[in-house]
Amino acid sequence: MQTTTSDSKSRLPVAARVDAVVVGAGFAGLYAVHRLRKQGMTVLGIDAASDVGGTWYWNRYPGARCDVPSLNYSYTWSEEVRREWRWSEKYATQPEILRYIQFVADKFDLRTDYLFDTRVTAADFDEDAGTWYVKTSAGDRIEARYVLLATGNLSVPNYPKVPGLGDFAGPVYHTGKWPHQKVDFRGKRVGVIGTGSSGVQAIPIIAEEAEELLVFQRTPNFSVPAHNGPLTDEDHLRFEADLPKFRKSLENFGRVPSSAYSAPVPSDEEQRARYNHLWENGGESFLVAFPNLLTSQEVNDGAAAFVREKIRTIVKDPATARALSATTSPFGVKRVCVDTNYFATFNRPNVKLVNLRQEPIETITHNGLMTSTGRYEFDELVIATGYDAMTGAILAMDIQGRDGRKLRDEWAAGPQSYLGLMVHGFPNLFTITGPGSPSVIGNVLLHGEHHVDYVLRLIEHAAGKQEPTIDVTAEAQDKWVAHVAAVADKTLFPIANSWYLGANIPGKPRVFMPYVGEGYRTKCAEIAALGYVGFCFNETPVLSDSAKSA
Ligand code: NA7
C-alpha cells in the first residue's frame, strides 16, 4: 500500500484494507514490512516517530551507543547491505546506527508503506470477518488480516515518581526522548537521575561539557569497559568469513547454557585470569566468562568482587568507590552496562555523586532538588530512569481479541504467550521479540529477524485457506509460560529488582519476562517440524477462561 509520510496533523485519516499492519519502524518493523511485501502482501507500517529508527530514532542522548558489537548488531538478511555498509567503530554511536537504518529504508524503499507521526491506539478483532480493525491517534481505521507488533522492548519512557517534577524551571530531558538538536551543556550545572546503561553512557560525556555535574544514584550498577575502537576493512572481511559460524551459534544461543548446571566452580586463579582477560578485551562477553556465572552464587560472587576491586583501583575517593559498587544484586542479572570512562569520571573535580540510598529525593524544586538531608541546585535535569520495558508499548494500546477479551486483562498478572510470539485468543496478532522470547537477552535485532521469519513461515503455512487464522492453544501457552519461569527460577536472575521483572515500575506484576534458556531457535524449528504444534490454523482453539490468572 502506498502512503505519504506527511505529518498526521496535516493529512486526512486513512481508511484502508491491507493484508498486514506492522506497528513500529525500528529494525524488526522495517524487516517485517520488507518481508511481507516480498511475499506479495499489502502492508501498512505505522510509527509514532517522524521517521524510521525505532529506539535509535528517540535515544539521541550524548554517548548513546549499542552495547552489542556493531558487526553483530546488523541485519543478516541482506547480502547487499552487508557488502555496502561499513561500520566505523566496534560499538557504533546512535547517529551511525540511525544512518544504517535509514540506508536500509532508502535501499528497499520502506518508508513508502509507513504512516509516521501516528500512534496506534487500539486494535479489535472481528471474529466473523477474521479481521483486525486498527485505530490510530490520527483517526485512521485500517482493516488487516495480520497485525505484527514490532513496538520494541524499551520504548515507553519511565519518569521517576517524585513530587515537584513539573516545578523545575529549567529544561528536563529524558534519555529515551532526547531532542533532535544538540543540547549544549557548556557552562551549565546539570543533574542526572539514573545510573543504568543510559546514565552510564551519558554521564562521562556530559561531565566533559558541563560546568558541574551532579549524579543522583539510587542503585549502583555493574559496568565493564567497552574498549571501543575503529573497525577496519579486515575486521569486516573476517566477520564475513565467520558469518556461517556466527549464524550457527545463534541456533543454540541462550544466556544460560544447559551446561551451567553441571559446570564445576572454577578455582580462584582460573576466575581471576579469565576476568582479567575479559576486562582487558572489554564488552558484554564478561557475562559468559563461565557457563555457571548466572546460576552459581559462588561463581557470581567472584565476578562481582572482581568488578568492585576494579572500581576501587579506578575511583580515587574510597567513599565514592564504595557508593559506586553494586552490592544488592548478583553480577549480570540486571543488564550489565558497557562503558567508556564511567568510573573514572567520578575523579573529575566537576562531578559529584549523590547517594540516594543515604538521602532519598524528597522533591524536585524550581532550581534543583531536595533530598532528606540536602539541597542541590542545577540548571538542567537529565532523566535516565529507563522504560516500562517489554510490555509497556504493547499494553499502551487497547487490544481486544476473540470473545471480547482484552490483552490488558489477559496480562494483568504478567504476560502470557506461546514462544513470546502469540497470545491465546488473539489470532493473527504477533508480538515480535515479545515477552516470553529471548528478546532483550543478547542481540535483540537478530531475535527480531528470527521472529519475523517465523511469522512469515506461519502465514505461509496458513495460506491457501479461505480466511486464514492462526492462534495458539491455551495448553501450549500455559506450558510455555511455566517453562520460561522455570528456566529463570533456576538462575540468579529473579533475585534482582530489574526491568526484566518489571520491578522498576511501581505496581507492575513481578514476572521474569525474557526467555534466558538455551536453544530457543532450535525449539521453534522443532515445533515447526512437528506441524507447528501448539498453534492452531483456521480453527478456534478452546478458549481458556479469560484472564483466569489475574
Ligand atoms: P535502566 O537500566 O532501567 O536504569 C534506570 C536507572 O534509573 C536506574 O539506575 C534506576 O535505579 C534509576 N531510577 C529509576 N527510577 C528512579 C527514581 N524514582 N529515583 C532515582 N533513580 C531512579 O534504564 P536505562 O535507560 O539506563 O537502560 C535501559 C536499557 O536500555 C539498558 O539496559 C539497555 O538494554 C538499553 P534503580 O536501579 O531502579 O534503583
Side-chain angles (χ1 to χ4, degrees), residues 3-68:
T3 63
T4 62
T5 57
S6 63
D7 189 322
S8 60
K9 291 173 217 83
S10 60
R11 68 169 170 81
L12 292 172
V14 171
R17 177 159 184 100
V18 289
D19 294 319
V21 161
V22 173
V23 189
F27 274 111
L30 290 174
Y31 178 48
V33 166
H34 173 69
R35 282 295 314 268
L36 289 158
R37 272 196 335 203
K38 272 191 81 172
Q39 203 80 356
M41 295 193 214
T42 51
V43 190
L44 180 63
I46 303 174
D47 198 293
S50 300
D51 196 14
V52 298
T55 199
W56 300 108
Y57 175 89
W58 299 104
N59 276 262
R60 296 166 187 251
Y61 61 85
R65 288 177 191 276
C66 186
D67 50 18
V68 175

Coordinates of all heavy atoms in Angstrom, one line a residue, residues 3-68:
T3 N 1.5 5.1 0.8 CA 1.0 6.2 1.6 C 2.0 7.3 1.5 O 3.1 7.1 1.0 CB 0.9 5.8 3.1 OG1 2.2 5.5 3.6 CG2 0.0 4.6 3.3
T4 N 1.6 8.4 2.0 CA 2.6 9.5 2.1 C 3.2 9.5 3.5 O 2.6 9.0 4.5 CB 2.0 10.9 1.8 OG1 1.0 11.1 2.8 CG2 1.4 10.9 0.4
T5 N 4.3 10.2 3.7 CA 4.9 10.3 5.1 C 4.5 11.6 5.7 O 5.2 12.2 6.5 CB 6.4 10.1 5.0 OG1 6.9 11.1 4.2 CG2 6.8 8.8 4.6
S6 N 3.4 12.2 5.2 CA 3.1 13.6 5.7 C 2.7 13.5 7.2 O 2.4 12.5 7.8 CB 1.9 14.1 5.0 OG 0.8 13.2 5.2
D7 N 2.9 14.7 7.8 CA 2.6 14.9 9.2 C 1.1 14.5 9.5 O 0.2 14.9 8.7 CB 2.9 16.3 9.6 CG 2.8 16.5 11.1 OD1 1.9 15.9 11.7 OD2 3.6 17.3 11.6
S8 N 0.9 13.7 10.6 CA -0.5 13.3 10.8 C -1.4 14.5 11.0 O -2.6 14.4 10.7 CB -0.5 12.4 12.0 OG -0.1 13.2 13.1
K9 N -0.9 15.6 11.5 CA -1.7 16.8 11.8 C -2.3 17.4 10.5 O -3.3 18.0 10.4 CB -1.0 17.8 12.5 CG -0.6 17.4 13.9 CD 0.3 18.4 14.6 CE 1.3 17.7 15.5 NZ 2.5 17.3 14.8
S10 N -1.5 17.2 9.4 CA -1.9 17.8 8.1 C -2.5 16.8 7.1 O -2.6 17.2 5.9 CB -0.8 18.6 7.6 OG 0.3 17.7 7.3
R11 N -2.7 15.6 7.5 CA -3.2 14.6 6.5 C -4.6 14.2 6.9 O -5.0 14.2 8.1 CB -2.3 13.5 6.3 CG -2.2 12.6 7.5 CD -1.5 11.3 7.2 NE -1.2 10.5 8.4 CZ -2.1 9.7 9.0 NH1 -3.3 9.6 8.5 NH2 -1.8 9.0 10.1
L12 N -5.3 13.7 5.9 CA -6.6 13.2 6.2 C -6.5 11.7 6.8 O -5.6 11.0 6.4 CB -7.5 13.1 4.9 CG -7.8 14.5 4.3 CD1 -8.4 14.3 3.0 CD2 -8.8 15.2 5.3
P13 N -7.4 11.4 7.7 CA -7.4 10.0 8.2 C -7.4 9.0 7.1 O -8.1 9.2 6.1 CB -8.6 9.9 9.1 CG -8.9 11.3 9.5 CD -8.5 12.1 8.3
V14 N -6.7 7.9 7.3 CA -6.7 6.8 6.2 C -7.7 5.8 6.6 O -7.8 5.3 7.8 CB -5.3 6.2 6.2 CG1 -5.3 5.0 5.3 CG2 -4.3 7.2 5.7
A15 N -8.5 5.3 5.7 CA -9.3 4.1 5.9 C -8.9 3.2 4.8 O -9.0 3.5 3.6 CB -10.8 4.5 5.7
A16 N -8.3 2.1 5.2 CA -7.8 1.2 4.2 C -7.9 -0.3 4.6 O -8.1 -0.5 5.8 CB -6.3 1.5 4.0
R17 N -7.8 -1.1 3.6 CA -7.7 -2.5 3.9 C -6.4 -3.1 3.4 O -6.1 -2.9 2.2 CB -8.9 -3.3 3.3 CG -8.8 -4.7 3.6 CD -10.0 -5.6 3.5 NE -9.5 -6.9 3.9 CZ -9.7 -7.5 5.1 NH1 -10.3 -6.8 6.0 NH2 -9.1 -8.6 5.4
V18 N -5.6 -3.7 4.3 CA -4.3 -4.3 3.9 C -4.3 -5.7 4.4 O -5.1 -6.1 5.2 CB -3.1 -3.5 4.4 CG1 -3.0 -2.1 3.7 CG2 -3.2 -3.3 5.9
D19 N -3.3 -6.4 3.9 CA -3.1 -7.8 4.4 C -2.5 -7.7 5.8 O -2.9 -8.5 6.7 CB -2.2 -8.6 3.5 CG -2.8 -8.9 2.2 OD1 -4.0 -9.2 2.1 OD2 -2.1 -8.7 1.1
A20 N -1.6 -6.8 6.0 CA -0.9 -6.8 7.3 C -0.6 -5.3 7.8 O -0.2 -4.5 7.0 CB 0.4 -7.6 7.2
V21 N -0.8 -5.1 9.0 CA -0.3 -3.9 9.7 C 0.9 -4.2 10.5 O 0.9 -5.2 11.2 CB -1.4 -3.2 10.6 CG1 -0.8 -2.2 11.6 CG2 -2.5 -2.5 9.7
V22 N 2.0 -3.4 10.4 CA 3.2 -3.6 11.2 C 3.3 -2.3 12.1 O 3.4 -1.2 11.5 CB 4.4 -3.7 10.3 CG1 5.7 -3.7 11.1 CG2 4.3 -5.0 9.4
V23 N 3.3 -2.5 13.4 CA 3.4 -1.4 14.3 C 4.9 -1.2 14.6 O 5.4 -2.1 15.3 CB 2.5 -1.5 15.5 CG1 2.5 -0.2 16.3 CG2 1.1 -2.0 15.2
G24 N 5.5 -0.1 14.2 CA 6.9 0.1 14.6 C 7.8 0.2 13.3 O 7.6 -0.6 12.4
A25 N 8.7 1.1 13.3 CA 9.6 1.3 12.2 C 11.1 1.2 12.7 O 12.0 1.9 12.2 CB 9.4 2.7 11.5
G26 N 11.3 0.3 13.7 CA 12.6 0.0 14.1 C 13.1 -1.1 13.3 O 12.6 -1.5 12.2
F27 N 14.2 -1.8 13.8 CA 14.8 -2.8 13.0 C 13.8 -3.9 12.6 O 13.8 -4.4 11.5 CB 16.0 -3.5 13.8 CG 17.3 -2.7 13.6 CD1 17.8 -2.0 14.7 CD2 18.0 -2.8 12.4 CE1 19.0 -1.3 14.5 CE2 19.2 -2.1 12.3 CZ 19.7 -1.4 13.3
A28 N 13.0 -4.4 13.6 CA 12.1 -5.5 13.4 C 11.0 -5.1 12.5 O 10.6 -5.8 11.5 CB 11.6 -6.1 14.7
G29 N 10.4 -3.9 12.7 CA 9.3 -3.5 11.9 C 9.6 -3.3 10.4 O 8.9 -3.7 9.5
L30 N 10.8 -2.7 10.2 CA 11.2 -2.5 8.8 C 11.4 -3.8 8.1 O 11.0 -4.0 6.9 CB 12.5 -1.6 8.8 CG 12.3 -0.2 9.2 CD1 13.7 0.5 9.2 CD2 11.4 0.6 8.2
Y31 N 12.1 -4.7 8.8 CA 12.3 -6.0 8.2 C 11.0 -6.7 7.9 O 10.8 -7.3 6.8 CB 13.2 -6.9 9.0 CG 13.5 -8.3 8.5 CD1 13.8 -8.4 7.2 CD2 13.3 -9.4 9.3 CE1 14.1 -9.7 6.6 CE2 13.6 -10.7 8.8 CZ 13.9 -10.8 7.4 OH 14.1 -12.1 6.9
A32 N 10.0 -6.6 8.8 CA 8.7 -7.2 8.6 C 8.0 -6.6 7.4 O 7.5 -7.4 6.5 CB 7.8 -7.0 9.8
V33 N 8.1 -5.3 7.2 CA 7.4 -4.7 6.1 C 8.1 -5.2 4.8 O 7.4 -5.6 3.8 CB 7.5 -3.1 6.2 CG1 7.2 -2.5 4.8 CG2 6.6 -2.6 7.3
H34 N 9.4 -5.3 4.8 CA 10.1 -5.8 3.6 C 9.7 -7.2 3.3 O 9.4 -7.5 2.1 CB 11.6 -5.7 3.9 CG 12.5 -6.3 2.9 ND1 12.6 -5.8 1.6 CD2 13.2 -7.4 2.9 CE1 13.4 -6.5 0.9 NE2 13.8 -7.5 1.6
R35 N 9.7 -8.1 4.3 CA 9.4 -9.5 4.0 C 7.9 -9.7 3.6 O 7.6 -10.4 2.6 CB 9.6 -10.3 5.3 CG 11.0 -10.7 5.7 CD 11.7 -11.6 4.7 NE 10.9 -12.8 4.2 CZ 10.9 -14.0 4.8 NH1 11.7 -14.2 5.8 NH2 10.2 -15.0 4.3
L36 N 7.0 -9.0 4.2 CA 5.6 -9.1 3.9 C 5.4 -8.7 2.4 O 4.6 -9.3 1.7 CB 4.7 -8.4 4.9 CG 4.7 -9.0 6.3 CD1 4.2 -7.9 7.3 CD2 3.7 -10.2 6.3
R37 N 6.0 -7.6 2.1 CA 5.9 -7.0 0.7 C 6.4 -8.0 -0.3 O 5.8 -8.3 -1.3 CB 6.6 -5.7 0.6 CG 5.8 -4.5 1.0 CD 6.3 -3.2 0.5 NE 7.7 -3.0 0.3 CZ 8.3 -1.8 0.3 NH1 7.6 -0.7 0.6 NH2 9.6 -1.7 0.1
K38 N 7.6 -8.6 0.1 CA 8.2 -9.6 -0.9 C 7.3 -10.8 -1.1 O 7.3 -11.4 -2.1 CB 9.5 -10.0 -0.3 CG 10.6 -9.1 -0.8 CD 12.0 -9.6 -0.5 CE 12.4 -10.7 -1.6 NZ 13.8 -11.1 -1.5
Q39 N 6.5 -11.1 0.0 CA 5.6 -12.2 -0.1 C 4.3 -11.8 -0.9 O 3.4 -12.6 -1.0 CB 5.2 -12.5 1.4 CG 4.7 -13.9 1.6 CD 5.9 -14.9 1.7 OE1 7.0 -14.5 1.5 NE2 5.6 -16.1 1.9
G40 N 4.3 -10.6 -1.4 CA 3.2 -10.2 -2.2 C 2.0 -9.7 -1.5 O 0.9 -9.5 -2.0
M41 N 2.2 -9.3 -0.2 CA 1.1 -8.8 0.6 C 1.1 -7.3 0.6 O 2.1 -6.7 0.4 CB 1.2 -9.3 2.0 CG 1.1 -10.8 2.2 SD 0.9 -11.2 3.9 CE 1.7 -12.7 3.9
T42 N -0.1 -6.8 0.8 CA -0.2 -5.3 1.0 C 0.1 -5.1 2.5 O -0.4 -5.8 3.4 CB -1.6 -4.8 0.7 OG1 -2.6 -5.6 1.3 CG2 -1.8 -4.8 -0.8
V43 N 0.9 -4.0 2.8 CA 1.3 -3.8 4.2 C 1.2 -2.3 4.5 O 1.4 -1.4 3.6 CB 2.8 -4.1 4.3 CG1 3.2 -4.1 5.8 CG2 3.2 -5.4 3.7
L44 N 0.8 -2.0 5.7 CA 0.9 -0.7 6.2 C 1.7 -0.6 7.5 O 1.3 -1.3 8.5 CB -0.5 -0.1 6.4 CG -0.5 1.4 7.0 CD1 0.1 2.3 5.9 CD2 -1.9 1.8 7.3
G45 N 2.8 0.1 7.5 CA 3.5 0.3 8.7 C 3.1 1.6 9.4 O 2.7 2.5 8.8
I46 N 3.1 1.6 10.7 CA 2.7 2.8 11.5 C 3.7 3.0 12.6 O 4.1 2.1 13.3 CB 1.3 2.5 12.1 CG1 0.3 2.2 11.0 CG2 0.8 3.8 12.9 CD1 -1.1 1.8 11.5
D47 N 4.1 4.3 12.7 CA 5.1 4.6 13.8 C 4.8 6.0 14.4 O 4.5 6.9 13.6 CB 6.5 4.5 13.3 CG 7.5 4.4 14.5 OD1 7.6 5.4 15.3 OD2 8.1 3.3 14.7
A48 N 4.9 6.1 15.7 CA 4.7 7.4 16.3 C 5.8 8.5 16.0 O 5.6 9.7 16.1 CB 4.7 7.3 17.8
A49 N 7.0 8.0 15.6 CA 8.1 8.9 15.2 C 7.8 9.5 13.8 O 7.0 9.0 13.1 CB 9.4 8.1 15.2
S50 N 8.7 10.5 13.5 CA 8.5 11.1 12.2 C 9.3 10.4 11.1 O 9.3 10.8 10.0 CB 9.0 12.6 12.3 OG 8.2 13.3 13.2
D51 N 10.1 9.4 11.5 CA 10.9 8.7 10.5 C 11.2 7.3 11.1 O 10.9 7.0 12.2 CB 12.1 9.5 10.2 CG 12.8 9.0 8.9 OD1 12.1 8.2 8.1 OD2 13.9 9.3 8.6
V52 N 12.0 6.5 10.3 CA 12.4 5.2 10.7 C 13.4 5.3 11.9 O 14.0 6.4 12.1 CB 13.0 4.4 9.5 CG1 12.0 4.2 8.4 CG2 14.2 5.2 9.0
G53 N 13.6 4.2 12.5 CA 14.7 4.1 13.5 C 14.3 3.5 14.8 O 15.2 3.0 15.5
G54 N 13.0 3.5 15.2 CA 12.6 2.9 16.5 C 13.4 3.5 17.6 O 13.5 4.7 17.7
T55 N 14.0 2.7 18.5 CA 14.7 3.1 19.6 C 15.8 4.1 19.3 O 16.1 5.1 20.0 CB 15.2 2.0 20.5 OG1 15.4 2.4 21.8 CG2 16.4 1.3 19.9
W56 N 16.4 3.9 18.1 CA 17.5 4.7 17.7 C 17.0 6.1 17.1 O 17.9 6.9 16.8 CB 18.4 4.0 16.7 CG 18.9 2.7 17.3 CD1 18.5 1.4 17.0 CD2 19.9 2.6 18.4 NE1 19.2 0.6 17.9 CE2 20.0 1.3 18.7 CE3 20.6 3.6 19.1 CZ2 20.9 0.8 19.7 CZ3 21.5 3.1 20.1 CH2 21.6 1.8 20.4
Y57 N 15.8 6.2 16.9 CA 15.2 7.5 16.5 C 15.1 8.4 17.7 O 15.4 9.6 17.7 CB 13.8 7.3 15.9 CG 13.1 8.6 15.6 CD1 13.3 9.2 14.3 CD2 12.3 9.2 16.5 CE1 12.6 10.4 14.1 CE2 11.7 10.4 16.3 CZ 11.8 11.0 15.0 OH 11.2 12.2 14.8
W58 N 14.7 7.8 18.9 CA 14.5 8.5 20.1 C 15.7 8.7 21.0 O 15.8 9.8 21.6 CB 13.4 7.8 20.9 CG 12.1 7.7 20.2 CD1 11.6 6.6 19.6 CD2 11.1 8.7 19.9 NE1 10.3 6.8 19.0 CE2 10.0 8.1 19.2 CE3 11.0 10.1 20.2 CZ2 8.9 8.9 18.8 CZ3 9.9 10.8 19.8 CH2 8.9 10.2 19.1
N59 N 16.5 7.7 21.0 CA 17.6 7.8 22.0 C 18.8 8.5 21.5 O 19.8 8.0 21.1 CB 18.0 6.3 22.4 CG 17.2 5.8 23.5 OD1 17.5 5.8 24.7 ND2 16.0 5.3 23.1
R60 N 18.7 9.9 21.5 CA 19.8 10.7 20.9 C 20.7 11.3 22.0 O 21.3 12.3 21.8 CB 19.2 11.8 20.1 CG 18.4 11.2 18.9 CD 17.5 12.3 18.3 NE 16.7 11.6 17.2 CZ 16.8 11.8 15.9 NH1 17.7 12.6 15.5 NH2 16.0 11.2 15.1
Y61 N 20.6 10.8 23.2 CA 21.4 11.4 24.3 C 22.9 11.3 24.1 O 23.3 10.4 23.3 CB 21.0 10.8 25.6 CG 21.2 9.3 25.8 CD1 22.5 8.8 26.2 CD2 20.3 8.4 25.5 CE1 22.7 7.5 26.3 CE2 20.5 7.0 25.6 CZ 21.7 6.6 26.0 OH 22.0 5.2 26.1
P62 N 23.7 12.2 24.7 CA 25.1 12.2 24.4 C 25.7 10.8 24.9 O 25.3 10.3 26.0 CB 25.7 13.3 25.3 CG 24.5 13.9 26.0 CD 23.2 13.3 25.6
G63 N 26.5 10.2 24.0 CA 27.1 8.9 24.4 C 26.3 7.7 24.1 O 26.7 6.6 24.3
A64 N 25.1 7.9 23.5 CA 24.2 6.7 23.2 C 24.9 5.8 22.1 O 25.3 6.3 21.1 CB 22.9 7.2 22.7
R65 N 25.1 4.6 22.5 CA 25.7 3.6 21.6 C 25.0 2.3 21.9 O 24.4 2.1 22.9 CB 27.1 3.3 22.0 CG 28.1 4.4 21.7 CD 29.5 4.0 22.2 NE 30.3 5.1 22.1 CZ 31.0 5.5 21.0 NH1 30.9 4.7 19.9 NH2 31.8 6.6 21.0
C66 N 25.2 1.3 21.0 CA 24.7 0.0 21.2 C 25.8 -0.7 22.0 O 27.0 -0.5 21.7 CB 24.5 -0.7 19.9 SG 23.7 -2.3 20.2
D67 N 25.4 -1.5 23.0 CA 26.5 -2.3 23.7 C 26.7 -3.7 23.2 O 27.3 -4.5 23.8 CB 26.2 -2.2 25.2 CG 24.8 -2.6 25.6 OD1 24.1 -3.2 24.8 OD2 24.4 -2.3 26.8
V68 N 26.1 -4.0 22.0 CA 26.4 -5.2 21.3 C 27.3 -4.7 20.1 O 27.1 -3.7 19.5 CB 25.1 -5.8 20.7 CG1 25.5 -7.0 19.8 CG2 24.2 -6.2 21.8

